[in-house]
Amino acid sequence: MPVEPRILVIEDAEAIRVSVETALRAAGFAVRTLADGDQLEVELGRFRPDLLVLDVMLPGRDGFALLRLVRRLCTAGVVMLTARDGVDDRLRGLGDGADDYVVKPFVLAELIARITAVLRRIGRAQPAVEVGDLVVDLDSGLALYNGVRVELTVTEWKLLSYLATRRDRVVSKTQILTAVWGYDEYSANLVEVNVSTLRRKLEAHGPRLLHTVRGQGYILRGDRS
């Protein structure tokens, strides 16, 4: 199994913190959260995050102060969250070393996409995952099955890369909805249709790898049982 990228979320609003943590875990990341920056130095040394999701408006030291501290202590990526869409704030954060900005309110799928893009830019994205004769290159965005490229839509790629990072593990429809679309209230039919399409595309190049586990969800598995 590839090592899961480690994400440290610092957000004082509990509802946002919990929803971001849930979505990131569903997307295959290892996650820890803090409500403020008091324990930031400890977590940087203990958890060693690959990337921080850092709110600008925090009690005590604000996000800008914490960003400067992060830049002194480590090379992790930083995606900042802000309720203010002012150019000055964004320029200030980027000037202090932030890698990207997401303005509240945001869609969880967008945040995950931006985190993934930053991890790729700083060289901390997950490596290629092999599932039988299928190679899912998470860095380049390519899927090769028996050496042949599988042509996928953006949504199909998100679905496949999520399943690949959770290979040999059953994932539920709710987990897939949260990871791929950023919501968990959509009809399960949305997952079923996209899984069916992805399965057909994969099976055009080789044996079945994407299996349905009745009553539980789906599993991407390299064996042929």
Side-chain angles (χ1 to χ4, degrees):
M1 291 292 296
V3 177
E4 297 174 331
R6 297 178 298 274
I7 311 296
L8 177 61
V9 179
I10 307 178
E11 164 63 63
D12 63 318
E14 183 178 5
I16 296 176
R17 188 171 66 250
V18 171
S19 63
V20 169
E21 178 182 12
T22 300
L24 289 175
R25 288 191 187 280
F29 297 104
V31 186
R32 287 191 186 175
T33 66
L34 297 172
D36 55 47
D38 288 350
Q39 296 297 311
L40 176 58
E41 293 96 330
V42 174
E43 287 300 321
L44 289 178
R46 181 168 54 193
F47 185 50
R48 295 180 292 109
D50 296 296
L51 182 141
L52 290 86
V53 176
L54 180 59
D55 187 31
V56 169
M57 302 298 293
L58 290 168
R61 293 178 293 180
D62 66 13
F64 296 120
L66 295 180
L67 172 62
R68 291 191 292 273
L69 175 63
V70 170
R71 284 291 164 257
R72 289 199 302 270
L73 297 178
C74 71
T75 59
V78 177
V79 175
M80 301 197 75
L81 304 179
T82 179
R84 301 182 297 191
D85 191 18
V87 173
D88 289 344
D89 275 352
R90 293 202 301 273
L91 291 177
R92 179 181 176 186
L94 294 171
D96 284 343
D99 295 283
D100 204 350
Y101 251 96
V102 175
V103 178
K104 300 177 182 179
F106 53 84
V107 176
L108 289 169
E110 177 192 2
L111 176 61
I112 292 171
R114 289 177 178 265
I115 287 171
T116 302
V118 170
L119 288 170
R120 185 176 297 118
R121 288 202 303 270
I122 66 176
R124 299 195 185 186
Q126 290 180 311
V129 179
E130 295 185 9
V131 186
D133 295 318
L134 172 68
V135 178
V136 182
D137 192 329
L138 300 166
D139 187 38
S140 67
L142 294 176
L144 301 174
Y145 197 179
N146 284 318
V148 179
R149 179 172 179 171
V150 182
E151 297 294 339
L152 302 171
T153 66
V154 172
T155 299
E156 290 163 356
W157 167 254
K158 289 180 180 179
L159 175 58
L160 178 60
S161 59
Y162 172 68
L163 292 168
T165 59
R166 316 296 285 184
R167 60 162 295 180
D168 298 325
R169 284 179 276 180
V170 177
V171 292
S172 69
K173 292 176 183 178
T174 299
Q175 288 175 308
I176 292 172
L177 281 168
T178 303
V180 177
W181 286 275
Y183 298 96
D184 59 11
E185 63 266 23
Y186 284 149
S187 167
N189 184 62
L190 181 66
V191 176
E192 293 169 1
V193 169
N194 281 274
V195 166
S196 178
T197 302
L198 175 60
R199 181 182 282 144
R200 285 198 306 271
K201 289 188 174 183
L202 292 175
E203 290 179 9
H205 301 283
R208 174 166 293 191
L209 300 173
L210 179 49
H211 304 271
T212 300
V213 181
R214 191 175 299 276
Q216 298 183 54
Y218 303 96
I219 183 171
L220 191 68
R221 190 175 60 215
D223 64 69
R224 300 188 183 185
S225 58

